[in-house]
Amino acid sequence: MAEVLLPTSGRGAEIRAYLEEALNLPKNLQWFDVRFALGEPVSVRCEFMPAPAAEADEPPEEFTGHGSLDD
């Protein structure tokens, strides 16, 4: 029977970390999969969360805080 590897510990974590770096995957990664099919290019799919926006201390200069699309 094949060994079950988990992505969070042991050999599974080592393989995951290697693939994330080798494939240059995004930092806020939720999941990824790699598909190896005979006669086809290798495909990689992933889902990630956008990086948090840097919080500004003040709104941009052009922001007036009022107005509408009809102005």
Side-chain angles (χ1 to χ4, degrees):
M1 184 172 212
E3 179 182 1
V4 174
L5 302 176
L6 298 175
T8 55
S9 63
R11 185 84 171 133
E14 292 173 19
I15 293 169
R16 187 204 77 237
Y18 172 80
L19 288 172
E20 286 176 353
E21 183 177 338
L23 298 171
N24 196 29
L25 296 175
K27 296 293 180 200
N28 297 326
L29 190 63
Q30 298 297 303
W31 60 263
F32 73 95
D33 62 36
V34 182
R35 181 173 186 255
F36 294 90
L38 295 176
E40 295 180 19
V42 173
S43 65
V44 178
R45 296 184 320 147
C46 70
E47 182 176 328
F48 61 96
M49 299 299 290
E55 293 192 8
D57 293 333
E58 299 177 16
E61 279 184 40
E62 67 273 8
F63 181 77
T64 61
H66 57 81
S68 71
L69 295 176
D70 298 328
D71 288 348

